[in-house]
Each structure stands twice: as structure tokens, then as C-alpha cells.
Amino acid sequence: MHSSNLVEGNEAIRNCLIAIAYNNDQSAYRTLFIALHSKLKQFAYSIVRSEEEAEDIVSDLFMIILQRKEQLCQLESPLFYFYATVRNMSLNLLKKQKRRAGLSMDEWQVQLNSIYFRPDLLMITEDMVLKIKMAINTLPNRCRLIFKLIKEDGLKYKEVAELLNISVKTVEAQMAIAMRRMAQCMPLELQSHPVLEKKLKNK
């Protein structure tokens, strides 16, 4: 029995892919779809700015997953492969349509959907959670995109650097900006909270 909240990393994704590839496990496919569809669609939408086209891109990706499931089981980071494929398909669509040919990464638009740490462990209020989300969502597009890909979508710093064709140092600098903005919304005593410190240092 698979649960979507267990698909949080590459090992869990590979386990689903193995079950799909070698056992034709439909529940594993549904689990993978439920866990990743929304995140990947949001990423596609940030580039193509069309709900319908973003849906089509992600649907095509899941067809690729079914077609290449055996090969995908061997990847060290299938999650990065999914995001890179969505990026390529999105940019190819824009190029094919000759639409927004000059669209740069700084114009990709995303919104933070969740707080990546446990508010209950930090004992912070719903109002503070809202303020943190608002602070992150008012960051410049590139900074917000990097923060979301790392803290909400689960990619590593080096993967985000490769995905966006920027240096790891740039990713680190943009994350530092996002973290400072987030910390400004918290009482001073929370900024040294062990749960938060662990999350801030996680790469």
C-alpha cells in the first residue's frame, strides 16, 4: 500500500517506479501522480503561463514515465529528471509557438503553497505562518522560484543551479535573501530554534 505523503524524496520515487516497472502496480502510479502532479504543473505554469498547456506538459511527462519506467529506476535523482523534462518541454513549447521568445528565468512566476517546517513544533500562530508566506511571495521572481524548488519541491542546491543554469553560489545567495526575509517575520527567540536552524542549514 502506497501513501502520497511518503513520496518525499528520490528513494521513495524510485520505489514507486520499480513497483510500476516490474509489478505493473497501478497504486504506485497513482501515488506518484498525486504526489508530483501539482508541483510539476505549477513549475510548468510558471514558464508557459497557461493552465491548459501546463496540464498538457505534465500529462506528457507522465506518459514518458510509463514509457521509460525501467530506465528511470536507475536514475540517482528522478525528481530532478522530472523537473528538467518539464522545463525543456515548456521552453520548447514557447519556442515552437514563437511566444515570449525572450522570456527569462526572472519572469517565471511561482507562489509558495506551504510552509516547509512544522509550525506546531515551533509553536507559531496561523497569523505568523501567513506573514511568512506573504514575505516569501513578495520576493523577486528568481529568489522565490529558487526558494520554492528547494524548500517546497525538494530539489538540492546543485540541482536547482543546473535546472536554472546558474551557479550554486547564486542559489546560496538567493536562499540567504529568502531566509532573511522569512526570519524578519519571526520573534527573535524563534530564529535560534533548533527545528528552524536545522531547516535553514539543510541543503
Side-chain angles (χ1 to χ4, degrees), residues 7-63:
V7 184
E8 296 176 343
N10 283 302
E11 183 177 356
I13 291 172
R14 275 195 300 272
N15 287 339
C16 283
L17 289 170
I18 290 169
I20 295 166
Y22 299 107
N23 298 322
N24 194 28
D25 189 333
Q26 295 302 306
S27 68
Y29 181 80
R30 286 194 298 272
T31 294
L32 199 64
F33 185 90
I34 292 169
L36 299 177
H37 179 273
S38 178
K39 292 179 179 180
L40 292 168
K41 182 179 175 181
Q42 284 184 342
F43 183 56
Y45 179 81
S46 74
I47 303 173
V48 300
R49 310 278 185 86
S50 163
E51 289 280 348
E52 183 178 353
E53 290 172 346
E55 179 67 43
D56 289 343
I57 287 167
V58 176
S59 295
D60 288 345
L61 171 68
F62 275 92
M63 289 299 297

CSV table of all heavy atoms in Angstrom, one decimal, residues 7-63:
chain,number,residue,atom,x,y,z
A,7,VAL,N,6.0,9.9,-0.5
A,7,VAL,CA,6.8,10.2,-1.7
A,7,VAL,C,7.4,11.6,-1.5
A,7,VAL,O,6.9,12.5,-2.1
A,7,VAL,CB,5.9,10.1,-3.0
A,7,VAL,CG1,6.8,10.3,-4.2
A,7,VAL,CG2,5.2,8.7,-3.0
A,8,GLU,N,8.4,11.6,-0.7
A,8,GLU,CA,9.0,12.9,-0.4
A,8,GLU,C,10.5,13.0,-0.9
A,8,GLU,O,11.1,14.0,-0.7
A,8,GLU,CB,9.0,13.2,1.1
A,8,GLU,CG,7.5,13.3,1.6
A,8,GLU,CD,7.5,13.4,3.1
A,8,GLU,OE1,8.5,13.1,3.8
A,8,GLU,OE2,6.4,13.8,3.6
A,9,GLY,N,11.0,12.0,-1.5
A,9,GLY,CA,12.4,12.0,-1.9
A,9,GLY,C,12.6,11.1,-3.0
A,9,GLY,O,11.8,10.3,-3.4
A,10,ASN,N,13.9,11.1,-3.5
A,10,ASN,CA,14.2,10.2,-4.7
A,10,ASN,C,14.1,8.7,-4.4
A,10,ASN,O,13.7,7.9,-5.2
A,10,ASN,CB,15.6,10.5,-5.1
A,10,ASN,CG,15.7,11.8,-5.9
A,10,ASN,OD1,15.0,12.0,-6.9
A,10,ASN,ND2,16.5,12.8,-5.5
A,11,GLU,N,14.4,8.3,-3.1
A,11,GLU,CA,14.3,6.9,-2.8
A,11,GLU,C,12.9,6.4,-2.9
A,11,GLU,O,12.5,5.4,-3.5
A,11,GLU,CB,14.9,6.6,-1.4
A,11,GLU,CG,14.9,5.1,-1.1
A,11,GLU,CD,15.5,4.8,0.3
A,11,GLU,OE1,16.0,5.8,0.9
A,11,GLU,OE2,15.5,3.7,0.7
A,12,ALA,N,11.9,7.2,-2.3
A,12,ALA,CA,10.5,6.9,-2.4
A,12,ALA,C,10.0,6.9,-3.8
A,12,ALA,O,9.2,6.1,-4.2
A,12,ALA,CB,9.7,7.9,-1.5
A,13,ILE,N,10.5,7.9,-4.6
A,13,ILE,CA,10.1,7.9,-6.0
A,13,ILE,C,10.6,6.7,-6.8
A,13,ILE,O,9.9,6.1,-7.6
A,13,ILE,CB,10.6,9.2,-6.7
A,13,ILE,CG1,9.9,10.4,-6.1
A,13,ILE,CG2,10.4,9.1,-8.2
A,13,ILE,CD1,10.5,11.7,-6.6
A,14,ARG,N,11.8,6.3,-6.5
A,14,ARG,CA,12.4,5.1,-7.2
A,14,ARG,C,11.6,3.9,-6.8
A,14,ARG,O,11.4,3.0,-7.6
A,14,ARG,CB,13.9,4.9,-6.8
A,14,ARG,CG,14.8,5.7,-7.7
A,14,ARG,CD,16.2,5.2,-7.6
A,14,ARG,NE,16.7,5.4,-6.2
A,14,ARG,CZ,17.3,6.5,-5.8
A,14,ARG,NH1,17.5,7.5,-6.5
A,14,ARG,NH2,17.7,6.6,-4.5
A,15,ASN,N,11.2,3.8,-5.5
A,15,ASN,CA,10.4,2.6,-5.1
A,15,ASN,C,9.1,2.5,-5.9
A,15,ASN,O,8.7,1.4,-6.3
A,15,ASN,CB,10.1,2.7,-3.6
A,15,ASN,CG,11.4,2.4,-2.8
A,15,ASN,OD1,12.3,1.8,-3.2
A,15,ASN,ND2,11.4,2.9,-1.5
A,16,CYS,N,8.5,3.7,-6.1
A,16,CYS,CA,7.2,3.7,-6.9
A,16,CYS,C,7.5,3.3,-8.3
A,16,CYS,O,6.8,2.5,-8.9
A,16,CYS,CB,6.6,5.1,-6.9
A,16,CYS,SG,5.7,5.5,-5.3
A,17,LEU,N,8.6,3.8,-8.9
A,17,LEU,CA,9.0,3.5,-10.3
A,17,LEU,C,9.3,2.0,-10.4
A,17,LEU,O,8.9,1.4,-11.4
A,17,LEU,CB,10.2,4.3,-10.7
A,17,LEU,CG,9.9,5.8,-10.9
A,17,LEU,CD1,11.3,6.6,-11.1
A,17,LEU,CD2,9.0,6.1,-12.1
A,18,ILE,N,9.9,1.4,-9.5
A,18,ILE,CA,10.2,0.0,-9.5
A,18,ILE,C,9.0,-0.8,-9.5
A,18,ILE,O,8.8,-1.8,-10.2
A,18,ILE,CB,11.2,-0.4,-8.3
A,18,ILE,CG1,12.6,0.2,-8.6
A,18,ILE,CG2,11.2,-1.9,-8.2
A,18,ILE,CD1,13.5,0.1,-7.4
A,19,ALA,N,8.0,-0.4,-8.6
A,19,ALA,CA,6.8,-1.1,-8.5
A,19,ALA,C,6.0,-1.0,-9.8
A,19,ALA,O,5.3,-1.9,-10.2
A,19,ALA,CB,5.9,-0.5,-7.3
A,20,ILE,N,6.0,0.2,-10.4
A,20,ILE,CA,5.3,0.4,-11.7
A,20,ILE,C,6.0,-0.5,-12.8
A,20,ILE,O,5.3,-1.1,-13.6
A,20,ILE,CB,5.4,1.9,-12.1
A,20,ILE,CG1,4.6,2.7,-11.1
A,20,ILE,CG2,4.8,2.0,-13.5
A,20,ILE,CD1,4.8,4.2,-11.2
A,21,ALA,N,7.3,-0.4,-12.8
A,21,ALA,CA,8.1,-1.1,-13.9
A,21,ALA,C,8.0,-2.6,-13.8
A,21,ALA,O,7.8,-3.3,-14.9
A,21,ALA,CB,9.5,-0.6,-13.9
A,22,TYR,N,8.1,-3.2,-12.7
A,22,TYR,CA,8.3,-4.6,-12.6
A,22,TYR,C,7.0,-5.3,-12.0
A,22,TYR,O,6.9,-6.6,-12.1
A,22,TYR,CB,9.5,-4.9,-11.7
A,22,TYR,CG,10.7,-4.4,-12.3
A,22,TYR,CD1,11.4,-3.3,-11.7
A,22,TYR,CD2,11.3,-4.9,-13.5
A,22,TYR,CE1,12.5,-2.7,-12.3
A,22,TYR,CE2,12.4,-4.4,-14.0
A,22,TYR,CZ,13.0,-3.3,-13.4
A,22,TYR,OH,14.2,-2.8,-14.0
A,23,ASN,N,6.1,-4.6,-11.4
A,23,ASN,CA,4.9,-5.2,-10.9
A,23,ASN,C,3.6,-4.6,-11.5
A,23,ASN,O,2.5,-5.0,-11.1
A,23,ASN,CB,4.8,-5.0,-9.4
A,23,ASN,CG,6.0,-5.7,-8.7
A,23,ASN,OD1,6.4,-6.8,-9.1
A,23,ASN,ND2,6.5,-5.1,-7.6
A,24,ASN,N,3.8,-3.7,-12.5
A,24,ASN,CA,2.6,-3.0,-13.1
A,24,ASN,C,1.7,-2.5,-12.0
A,24,ASN,O,0.4,-2.7,-12.1
A,24,ASN,CB,1.9,-3.9,-14.0
A,24,ASN,CG,0.9,-3.2,-14.9
A,24,ASN,OD1,1.1,-2.0,-15.2
A,24,ASN,ND2,-0.2,-3.9,-15.3
A,25,ASP,N,2.2,-1.9,-10.9
A,25,ASP,CA,1.5,-1.5,-9.7
A,25,ASP,C,0.8,-0.2,-10.0
A,25,ASP,O,1.4,0.9,-10.0
A,25,ASP,CB,2.5,-1.4,-8.6
A,25,ASP,CG,1.7,-1.2,-7.2
A,25,ASP,OD1,0.6,-0.7,-7.2
A,25,ASP,OD2,2.3,-1.5,-6.2
A,26,GLN,N,-0.5,-0.3,-10.2
A,26,GLN,CA,-1.3,0.9,-10.5
A,26,GLN,C,-1.4,1.9,-9.3
A,26,GLN,O,-1.5,3.1,-9.5
A,26,GLN,CB,-2.7,0.5,-11.0
A,26,GLN,CG,-2.7,-0.2,-12.3
A,26,GLN,CD,-2.0,0.6,-13.4
A,26,GLN,OE1,-2.4,1.7,-13.7
A,26,GLN,NE2,-1.0,0.0,-14.1
A,27,SER,N,-1.4,1.3,-8.1
A,27,SER,CA,-1.5,2.1,-6.9
A,27,SER,C,-0.2,3.0,-6.8
A,27,SER,O,-0.3,4.1,-6.3
A,27,SER,CB,-1.7,1.3,-5.7
A,27,SER,OG,-0.6,0.5,-5.3
A,28,ALA,N,0.9,2.4,-7.2
A,28,ALA,CA,2.2,3.1,-7.1
A,28,ALA,C,2.2,4.3,-8.1
A,28,ALA,O,2.6,5.4,-7.8
A,28,ALA,CB,3.4,2.2,-7.4
A,29,TYR,N,1.6,4.0,-9.3
A,29,TYR,CA,1.5,5.1,-10.3
A,29,TYR,C,0.6,6.2,-9.8
A,29,TYR,O,0.9,7.4,-9.9
A,29,TYR,CB,0.9,4.5,-11.6
A,29,TYR,CG,0.8,5.5,-12.7
A,29,TYR,CD1,1.9,5.9,-13.4
A,29,TYR,CD2,-0.4,6.1,-13.0
A,29,TYR,CE1,1.8,6.9,-14.4
A,29,TYR,CE2,-0.5,7.1,-14.0
A,29,TYR,CZ,0.6,7.5,-14.7
A,29,TYR,OH,0.5,8.4,-15.7
A,30,ARG,N,-0.6,5.8,-9.2
A,30,ARG,CA,-1.5,6.9,-8.6
A,30,ARG,C,-0.8,7.7,-7.5
A,30,ARG,O,-0.9,8.9,-7.4
A,30,ARG,CB,-2.7,6.2,-8.1
A,30,ARG,CG,-3.7,5.7,-9.2
A,30,ARG,CD,-5.1,5.4,-8.6
A,30,ARG,NE,-5.0,4.3,-7.6
A,30,ARG,CZ,-5.1,3.0,-7.9
A,30,ARG,NH1,-5.2,2.7,-9.2
A,30,ARG,NH2,-5.0,2.1,-7.0
A,31,THR,N,0.0,7.0,-6.7
A,31,THR,CA,0.7,7.7,-5.6
A,31,THR,C,1.7,8.7,-6.2
A,31,THR,O,1.8,9.8,-5.7
A,31,THR,CB,1.4,6.6,-4.7
A,31,THR,OG1,0.5,5.8,-4.1
A,31,THR,CG2,2.3,7.3,-3.7
A,32,LEU,N,2.4,8.2,-7.2
A,32,LEU,CA,3.4,9.1,-7.8
A,32,LEU,C,2.7,10.3,-8.4
A,32,LEU,O,3.1,11.5,-8.3
A,32,LEU,CB,4.2,8.4,-8.9
A,32,LEU,CG,5.5,8.9,-9.3
A,32,LEU,CD1,6.5,9.0,-8.2
A,32,LEU,CD2,6.1,8.1,-10.5
A,33,PHE,N,1.6,10.1,-9.1
A,33,PHE,CA,0.8,11.1,-9.8
A,33,PHE,C,0.3,12.1,-8.8
A,33,PHE,O,0.5,13.3,-8.9
A,33,PHE,CB,-0.3,10.5,-10.6
A,33,PHE,CG,-1.1,11.5,-11.4
A,33,PHE,CD1,-0.7,11.7,-12.7
A,33,PHE,CD2,-2.2,12.1,-10.8
A,33,PHE,CE1,-1.5,12.6,-13.5
A,33,PHE,CE2,-2.9,13.1,-11.6
A,33,PHE,CZ,-2.5,13.3,-12.9
A,34,ILE,N,-0.3,11.7,-7.7
A,34,ILE,CA,-0.9,12.5,-6.7
A,34,ILE,C,0.2,13.4,-6.0
A,34,ILE,O,0.0,14.6,-5.7
A,34,ILE,CB,-1.6,11.7,-5.6
A,34,ILE,CG1,-2.9,11.1,-6.3
A,34,ILE,CG2,-2.0,12.6,-4.4
A,34,ILE,CD1,-3.6,10.1,-5.4
A,35,ALA,N,1.4,12.7,-5.7
A,35,ALA,CA,2.4,13.4,-5.0
A,35,ALA,C,3.1,14.5,-5.9
A,35,ALA,O,3.5,15.5,-5.3
A,35,ALA,CB,3.5,12.4,-4.6
A,36,LEU,N,3.2,14.3,-7.2
A,36,LEU,CA,4.1,15.2,-8.0
A,36,LEU,C,3.3,16.0,-9.0
A,36,LEU,O,3.8,17.0,-9.5
A,36,LEU,CB,5.1,14.3,-8.8
A,36,LEU,CG,6.1,13.5,-7.9
A,36,LEU,CD1,7.0,12.7,-8.8
A,36,LEU,CD2,6.9,14.5,-7.1
A,37,HIS,N,2.1,15.6,-9.4
A,37,HIS,CA,1.4,16.3,-10.5
A,37,HIS,C,1.3,17.8,-10.2
A,37,HIS,O,1.6,18.7,-11.1
A,37,HIS,CB,0.0,15.7,-10.7
A,37,HIS,CG,-0.8,16.4,-11.7
A,37,HIS,ND1,-1.6,17.5,-11.5
A,37,HIS,CD2,-0.9,16.1,-13.1
A,37,HIS,CE1,-2.2,17.9,-12.6
A,37,HIS,NE2,-1.8,17.1,-13.6
A,38,SER,N,0.8,18.2,-9.0
A,38,SER,CA,0.5,19.6,-8.7
A,38,SER,C,1.8,20.4,-8.8
A,38,SER,O,1.8,21.5,-9.3
A,38,SER,CB,-0.2,19.7,-7.4
A,38,SER,OG,-0.4,21.1,-7.0
A,39,LYS,N,2.9,19.9,-8.2
A,39,LYS,CA,4.1,20.6,-8.1
A,39,LYS,C,4.7,20.8,-9.5
A,39,LYS,O,5.2,21.9,-9.9
A,39,LYS,CB,5.2,19.9,-7.3
A,39,LYS,CG,4.8,19.9,-5.8
A,39,LYS,CD,5.9,19.1,-5.0
A,39,LYS,CE,5.5,19.1,-3.5
A,39,LYS,NZ,6.6,18.3,-2.7
A,40,LEU,N,4.7,19.8,-10.3
A,40,LEU,CA,5.2,19.9,-11.7
A,40,LEU,C,4.4,20.8,-12.5
A,40,LEU,O,4.9,21.5,-13.4
A,40,LEU,CB,5.3,18.5,-12.3
A,40,LEU,CG,6.3,17.5,-11.6
A,40,LEU,CD1,6.2,16.1,-12.1
A,40,LEU,CD2,7.8,18.0,-11.9
A,41,LYS,N,3.1,20.7,-12.3
A,41,LYS,CA,2.2,21.6,-13.1
A,41,LYS,C,2.4,23.1,-12.8
A,41,LYS,O,2.5,23.9,-13.6
A,41,LYS,CB,0.7,21.3,-12.9
A,41,LYS,CG,-0.3,22.1,-13.7
A,41,LYS,CD,-1.7,21.7,-13.4
A,41,LYS,CE,-2.6,22.7,-14.2
A,41,LYS,NZ,-4.1,22.3,-13.9
A,42,GLN,N,2.6,23.3,-11.5
A,42,GLN,CA,2.9,24.7,-11.1
A,42,GLN,C,4.3,25.2,-11.7
A,42,GLN,O,4.4,26.3,-12.1
A,42,GLN,CB,3.0,24.8,-9.6
A,42,GLN,CG,1.7,24.8,-8.9
A,42,GLN,CD,1.8,24.9,-7.4
A,42,GLN,OE1,2.9,24.8,-6.8
A,42,GLN,NE2,0.7,25.3,-6.7
A,43,PHE,N,5.2,24.3,-11.8
A,43,PHE,CA,6.5,24.7,-12.4
A,43,PHE,C,6.3,24.9,-13.9
A,43,PHE,O,6.9,25.9,-14.4
A,43,PHE,CB,7.5,23.5,-12.2
A,43,PHE,CG,8.9,23.9,-12.7
A,43,PHE,CD1,9.6,25.0,-12.3
A,43,PHE,CD2,9.5,23.0,-13.6
A,43,PHE,CE1,10.8,25.3,-12.8
A,43,PHE,CE2,10.8,23.3,-14.1
A,43,PHE,CZ,11.4,24.4,-13.7
A,44,ALA,N,5.6,24.1,-14.5
A,44,ALA,CA,5.3,24.3,-16.0
A,44,ALA,C,4.6,25.6,-16.2
A,44,ALA,O,4.9,26.4,-17.1
A,44,ALA,CB,4.5,23.1,-16.6
A,45,TYR,N,3.6,25.9,-15.3
A,45,TYR,CA,2.8,27.1,-15.4
A,45,TYR,C,3.6,28.3,-15.2
A,45,TYR,O,3.4,29.4,-15.9
A,45,TYR,CB,1.6,27.1,-14.4
A,45,TYR,CG,0.8,28.4,-14.5
A,45,TYR,CD1,-0.2,28.5,-15.5
A,45,TYR,CD2,1.0,29.4,-13.6
A,45,TYR,CE1,-1.0,29.6,-15.5
A,45,TYR,CE2,0.3,30.6,-13.7
A,45,TYR,CZ,-0.7,30.7,-14.6
A,45,TYR,OH,-1.5,31.8,-14.7
A,46,SER,N,4.6,28.3,-14.4
A,46,SER,CA,5.5,29.4,-14.1
A,46,SER,C,6.2,29.9,-15.4
A,46,SER,O,6.6,31.0,-15.5
A,46,SER,CB,6.5,29.1,-13.0
A,46,SER,OG,7.5,28.2,-13.5
A,47,ILE,N,6.4,28.9,-16.3
A,47,ILE,CA,7.1,29.2,-17.6
A,47,ILE,C,6.1,29.5,-18.7
A,47,ILE,O,6.2,30.6,-19.4
A,47,ILE,CB,8.0,28.0,-18.0
A,47,ILE,CG1,8.9,27.7,-16.9
A,47,ILE,CG2,8.7,28.4,-19.3
A,47,ILE,CD1,9.8,26.4,-17.1
A,48,VAL,N,5.1,28.7,-18.9
A,48,VAL,CA,4.2,28.9,-20.1
A,48,VAL,C,3.0,29.8,-19.8
A,48,VAL,O,2.3,30.3,-20.7
A,48,VAL,CB,3.7,27.5,-20.6
A,48,VAL,CG1,4.8,26.6,-21.0
A,48,VAL,CG2,2.8,26.8,-19.5
A,49,ARG,N,2.7,30.0,-18.5
A,49,ARG,CA,1.6,30.9,-18.1
A,49,ARG,C,0.2,30.5,-18.7
A,49,ARG,O,-0.6,31.3,-19.0
A,49,ARG,CB,1.9,32.3,-18.5
A,49,ARG,CG,3.3,32.9,-18.1
A,49,ARG,CD,3.3,33.3,-16.7
A,49,ARG,NE,4.6,33.9,-16.4
A,49,ARG,CZ,5.0,35.2,-16.7
A,49,ARG,NH1,4.1,36.0,-17.2
A,49,ARG,NH2,6.2,35.6,-16.4
A,50,SER,N,0.0,29.2,-18.8
A,50,SER,CA,-1.3,28.7,-19.3
A,50,SER,C,-1.6,27.4,-18.6
A,50,SER,O,-0.8,26.5,-18.6
A,50,SER,CB,-1.2,28.4,-20.8
A,50,SER,OG,-2.3,27.6,-21.2
A,51,GLU,N,-2.7,27.4,-17.9
A,51,GLU,CA,-3.2,26.2,-17.1
A,51,GLU,C,-3.3,25.0,-18.1
A,51,GLU,O,-2.9,23.9,-17.7
A,51,GLU,CB,-4.5,26.5,-16.4
A,51,GLU,CG,-4.4,27.4,-15.3
A,51,GLU,CD,-3.9,26.8,-14.0
A,51,GLU,OE1,-3.9,25.5,-14.0
A,51,GLU,OE2,-3.6,27.5,-13.0
A,52,GLU,N,-3.9,25.2,-19.2
A,52,GLU,CA,-4.2,24.1,-20.1
A,52,GLU,C,-2.9,23.6,-20.7
A,52,GLU,O,-2.7,22.3,-20.7
A,52,GLU,CB,-5.0,24.6,-21.3
A,52,GLU,CG,-5.4,23.5,-22.3
A,52,GLU,CD,-6.3,24.0,-23.4
A,52,GLU,OE1,-6.8,25.1,-23.3
A,52,GLU,OE2,-6.5,23.2,-24.3
A,53,GLU,N,-1.9,24.4,-21.1
A,53,GLU,CA,-0.7,24.0,-21.6
A,53,GLU,C,0.2,23.3,-20.5
A,53,GLU,O,0.9,22.3,-20.8
A,53,GLU,CB,0.1,25.1,-22.2
A,53,GLU,CG,-0.6,25.6,-23.5
A,53,GLU,CD,0.0,26.9,-24.1
A,53,GLU,OE1,0.8,27.6,-23.3
A,53,GLU,OE2,-0.2,27.2,-25.2
A,54,ALA,N,0.1,23.9,-19.3
A,54,ALA,CA,0.9,23.3,-18.2
A,54,ALA,C,0.4,21.9,-17.9
A,54,ALA,O,1.1,20.9,-17.7
A,54,ALA,CB,0.8,24.1,-16.9
A,55,GLU,N,-1.0,21.7,-18.0
A,55,GLU,CA,-1.6,20.4,-17.8
A,55,GLU,C,-1.1,19.4,-18.8
A,55,GLU,O,-0.8,18.2,-18.6
A,55,GLU,CB,-3.1,20.5,-17.7
A,55,GLU,CG,-3.8,19.2,-17.6
A,55,GLU,CD,-3.6,18.6,-16.2
A,55,GLU,OE1,-3.7,19.3,-15.2
A,55,GLU,OE2,-3.4,17.3,-16.1
A,56,ASP,N,-1.1,19.9,-20.1
A,56,ASP,CA,-0.7,19.0,-21.2
A,56,ASP,C,0.8,18.6,-21.0
A,56,ASP,O,1.1,17.4,-21.3
A,56,ASP,CB,-0.9,19.7,-22.5
A,56,ASP,CG,-2.3,19.9,-22.9
A,56,ASP,OD1,-3.2,19.2,-22.3
A,56,ASP,OD2,-2.6,20.8,-23.8
A,57,ILE,N,1.6,19.5,-20.6
A,57,ILE,CA,3.0,19.2,-20.4
A,57,ILE,C,3.2,18.1,-19.4
A,57,ILE,O,4.0,17.1,-19.6
A,57,ILE,CB,3.8,20.5,-20.1
A,57,ILE,CG1,3.9,21.4,-21.3
A,57,ILE,CG2,5.2,20.1,-19.5
A,57,ILE,CD1,4.4,22.8,-21.0
A,58,VAL,N,2.6,18.3,-18.3
A,58,VAL,CA,2.7,17.3,-17.2
A,58,VAL,C,2.1,16.0,-17.6
A,58,VAL,O,2.6,14.9,-17.2
A,58,VAL,CB,2.1,17.8,-15.9
A,58,VAL,CG1,2.2,16.8,-14.8
A,58,VAL,CG2,2.9,19.1,-15.4
A,59,SER,N,1.0,16.0,-18.3
A,59,SER,CA,0.4,14.7,-18.8
A,59,SER,C,1.4,14.0,-19.7
A,59,SER,O,1.5,12.8,-19.6
A,59,SER,CB,-0.9,15.0,-19.5
A,59,SER,OG,-1.9,15.5,-18.7
A,60,ASP,N,2.1,14.8,-20.6
A,60,ASP,CA,3.1,14.2,-21.5
A,60,ASP,C,4.2,13.6,-20.6
A,60,ASP,O,4.7,12.5,-21.0
A,60,ASP,CB,3.6,15.2,-22.4
A,60,ASP,CG,2.6,15.6,-23.5
A,60,ASP,OD1,1.6,14.9,-23.7
A,60,ASP,OD2,2.8,16.6,-24.2
A,61,LEU,N,4.6,14.3,-19.6
A,61,LEU,CA,5.7,13.7,-18.7
A,61,LEU,C,5.3,12.4,-18.1
A,61,LEU,O,6.1,11.5,-18.1
A,61,LEU,CB,6.0,14.7,-17.6
A,61,LEU,CG,6.9,14.2,-16.5
A,61,LEU,CD1,8.3,13.9,-17.1
A,61,LEU,CD2,7.0,15.1,-15.3
A,62,PHE,N,4.1,12.3,-17.6
A,62,PHE,CA,3.6,11.0,-17.0
A,62,PHE,C,3.5,9.9,-18.1
A,62,PHE,O,3.7,8.7,-17.8
A,62,PHE,CB,2.3,11.2,-16.2
A,62,PHE,CG,2.6,11.7,-14.8
A,62,PHE,CD1,2.6,13.0,-14.6
A,62,PHE,CD2,2.9,10.8,-13.8
A,62,PHE,CE1,2.8,13.5,-13.3
A,62,PHE,CE2,3.1,11.2,-12.5
A,62,PHE,CZ,3.1,12.6,-12.3
A,63,MET,N,3.3,10.3,-19.3
A,63,MET,CA,3.3,9.3,-20.4
A,63,MET,C,4.8,8.8,-20.6
A,63,MET,O,5.1,7.6,-20.8
A,63,MET,CB,2.8,9.9,-21.7
A,63,MET,CG,1.3,10.1,-21.7
A,63,MET,SD,0.4,8.5,-21.5
A,63,MET,CE,0.9,7.6,-23.0
